[in-house]
Amino acid sequence: MTLRVGTMRLACMFSSILLFGAAGLLLFISLQDPTELIPQQVPGVKFNIRLQQPHNDFPPGSSQDGDFKALTERVTQDLSSRAPRGLHLPVPDQPQAHLNMGARLRPRQRRRRLLIKKMPSAAAILANSSAGPFVRPAPRALDGHWLSLHHRQQERKRVMREACAKYRSSSSRRAVTPRHVSRIFVEDRHRVLYCEVPKAGCSNWKRVLMVLAGLASSTADIHHNTVHYGSALKRLDTFDRQGILHRLSTYTKMLFVREPFERLVSAFRDKFEHPNSYYHPVFGKAILARYRANASREALRTGSGVRFPEFVQYLLDVHRPVGMDIHWDHVSRLCSPCLIDYDFVGKFESMEDDANFFLRLIHAPQNLTFPRFKDRHSQEARTTARIAHQYFAQLPVPQRQRTYDFYYMDYLMFNYSKPFDDLY
């Protein structure tokens, strides 16, 4: 009898423990956030979406906090709508080159997102600008203008990435070396990296960077020699590997390009049609010696008087008598756009709109705009499409075709049309 009572008591205790355990489990599940029970699937896609703030981050709860949430939602929808079929692209919350699997978005990190790679809407940009650097005589027209600039950036980057994916598929697997970033200038205050493309507004862009860095009060005060031969601006390859990778993953990276034939003619006019103590003796003498029959002693002594067809012969010669120069090298070699994911791609042909749009995006000082002046040979007309056609008309059709082939990747990546109808 005593044994039977003890057995019943043990059974009751065991049942009570099971009931309490089940109730506790149900209570835990009801209080748990259901999203935490689902594994987060994040593909390893690189983004650097940063709208730069040169000073302090917005404190939690500030009025700008709501603006950033609105921007985040807009950009998230924008990324999803442009994702390749079957691929859902996340918007990163940390300034890192790659996203971690299962990483969760924290509220404070959402507030501190800097959104430049996929530009926010014009209304959000204007609302987020506490300094109010915009003149708004016609809000609707201005809004449409900024939206068109935003869509222009999206299209340029899409074309560039598609060209890279098609023709330079191995580039994304290569490691960045100092050589790849040797043409990139650093401006730390506004966290900007600028890849210099000569004959595409680089002198004035360096002036702008110097003003942003606090090294000058106005772009008009900076002399040409200070821009090109001074050491005020740092290059990215002067930093150690950690410094290079940190800036590449957290700074806003931009470059400006130009129609390749126009850029080539601009370089030729600048370096060979005016006195030059470097290009005439170094390049001119070698070009004349190789490509001009019966060159005069004076020409061979000075290197002056190189003609455009002779210059193009040098350019296309696989056994050049003198090496390549940055003023006519490919943009794809100067800036490695298939290896470095640029956030902003501007064009010389739309310089004023693109440059001032970029300056507003990084919250540059209100009075800073891109300078229009031409500081070398200022009395001479800028090289235009018409002038470039006049120079290339001096070449036979096969040579024009070879020159187009030489710059084919630049034409393709930056969506420039064929400059002559007889090119293929």
Side-chain angles (χ1 to χ4, degrees):
M1 183 70 179
T2 304
L3 181 61
R4 184 180 299 174
V5 171
T7 302
M8 291 176 64
R9 286 179 177 174
L10 285 173
C12 289
M13 290 176 62
F14 184 70
S15 300
S16 299
I17 290 172
L18 286 177
L19 287 172
F20 277 112
L25 180 61
L26 290 172
L27 180 62
F28 173 77
I29 292 174
S30 66
L31 295 176
Q32 181 73 13
D33 183 355
T35 60
E36 294 182 357
L37 302 178
I38 303 173
Q40 302 294 317
Q41 300 297 321
V42 184
V45 180
K46 176 187 173 186
F47 288 100
N48 294 310
I49 304 178
R50 308 183 62 80
L51 179 62
Q52 297 297 348
Q53 296 292 331
H55 301 296
N56 298 325
D57 293 322
F58 296 132
S62 66
S63 61
Q64 286 89 344
D65 184 34
D67 296 333
F68 266 80
K69 289 180 180 178
L71 294 180
T72 302
E73 293 172 359
R74 168 65 183 267
V75 173
T76 303
Q77 295 171 359
D78 188 47
L79 287 172
S80 299
S81 66
R82 287 166 172 77
R85 195 171 299 174
L87 177 64
H88 302 284
L89 301 182
V91 180
D93 57 308
Q94 301 178 17
Q96 296 179 353
H98 297 279
L99 298 176
N100 295 324
M101 293 295 289
R104 291 180 55 81
L105 303 179
R106 300 174 185 174
R108 180 168 177 78
Q109 290 168 335
R110 288 196 191 99
R111 287 192 292 269
R112 299 182 64 181
R113 279 198 193 125
L114 305 179
L115 309 173
I116 191 171
K117 188 168 184 181
K118 295 290 182 183
M119 310 303 176
S121 69
I125 294 172
L126 295 173
N128 192 44
S129 176
S130 59
F134 301 98
V135 179
R136 311 182 194 184
R140 290 184 180 178
L142 183 62
D143 197 59
H145 179 61
W146 282 85
L147 280 173
S148 69
L149 294 175
H150 160 55
H151 293 314
R152 178 191 291 176
Q153 279 300 307
Q154 291 178 321
E155 179 64 13
R156 286 176 183 173
K157 289 182 286 184
R158 181 191 67 78
V159 171
M160 184 174 69
R161 288 168 185 159
E162 286 183 359
C164 289
K166 185 174 182 180
Y167 293 96
R168 302 285 175 87
S169 59
S170 63
S171 295
S172 60
R173 297 191 294 270
R174 294 164 56 196
V176 175
T177 67
R179 183 191 69 79
H180 293 121
V181 299
S182 62
R183 308 310 311 172
I184 295 180
F185 288 87
V186 179
E187 200 288 285
D188 284 313
R189 286 178 65 181
H190 292 76
R191 303 165 69 87
V192 170
L193 299 180
Y194 164 63
C195 185
E196 173 192 35
V197 177
K199 313 313 296 179
C202 67
S203 299
N204 281 336
W205 264 119
K206 287 193 232 177
R207 288 185 173 93
V208 169
L209 294 182
M210 292 174 74
V211 173
L212 288 173
L215 302 173
S217 58
S218 169
T219 55
D221 299 334
I222 308 173
H223 191 268
H224 178 87
N225 288 343
T226 304
V227 171
H228 288 285
Y229 307 120
S231 57
L233 293 174
K234 291 184 179 179
R235 295 179 189 266
L236 189 55
D237 64 348
T238 62
F239 295 87
D240 60 19
R241 180 166 180 79
Q242 183 178 359
I244 291 173
L245 295 179
H246 167 71
R247 285 168 176 81
L248 283 175
S249 63
T250 61
Y251 282 25
T252 302
K253 301 173 291 298
M254 65 101 165
L255 78 162
F256 271 71
V257 298
R258 186 175 185 178
E259 202 281 336
F261 275 20
E262 291 180 32
R263 178 172 166 251
L264 182 65
V265 171
S266 177
F268 173 78
R269 296 175 72 200
D270 181 27
K271 305 307 178 188
F272 295 101
E273 292 188 348
H274 300 276
N276 192 295
S277 60
Y278 173 73
Y279 284 91
H280 288 194
V282 174
F283 286 86
K285 290 167 69 172
I287 290 173
L288 292 172
R290 173 71 68 90
Y291 306 109
R292 181 178 293 182
N294 303 318
S296 67
R297 289 187 178 182
E298 180 65 14
L300 294 175
R301 183 183 68 82
T302 64
S304 300
V306 172
R307 302 181 188 117
F308 187 67
E310 296 166 340
F311 172 67
V312 172
Q313 278 185 279
Y314 143 78
L315 180 73
L316 301 178
D317 192 345
V318 294
H319 302 293
R320 298 184 190 97
V322 62
M324 183 56 71
D325 183 80
I326 60 171
H327 290 84
W328 44 83
D329 204 351
H330 314 80
V331 176
S332 54
R333 278 172 48 92
L334 294 172
C335 297
S336 302
C338 291
L339 181 62
I340 297 170
D341 195 7
Y342 286 91
D343 303 301
F344 193 96
V345 180
K347 289 191 173 184
F348 184 85
E349 294 76 18
S350 54
M351 177 66 79
E352 187 172 358
D353 275 350
D354 290 348
N356 292 323
F357 181 46
F358 178 79
L359 291 174
R360 298 293 79 81
L361 287 172
I362 64 167
H363 286 206
Q366 180 178 352
N367 62 347
L368 178 60
T369 57
F370 191 80
R372 300 180 180 181
F373 58 82
K374 184 173 184 279
D375 64 345
R376 283 170 61 83
H377 320 306
S378 57
Q379 303 303 315
E380 186 177 82
R382 291 184 185 274
T383 301
T384 61
R386 181 183 61 81
I387 292 176
H389 271 246
Q390 291 173 356
Y391 278 78
F392 273 91
Q394 303 173 33
L395 306 181
V397 173
Q399 203 167 32
R400 279 206 302 265
Q401 180 66 51
R402 289 184 59 205
T403 310
Y404 176 72
D405 294 341
F406 184 82
Y407 288 110
Y408 179 71
M409 278 304 297
D410 285 356
Y411 273 100
L412 187 70
M413 292 175 64
F414 304 112
N415 202 24
Y416 282 111
S417 301
K418 291 185 294 186
F420 286 86
D421 292 336
D422 54 12
L423 298 174
Y424 56 89

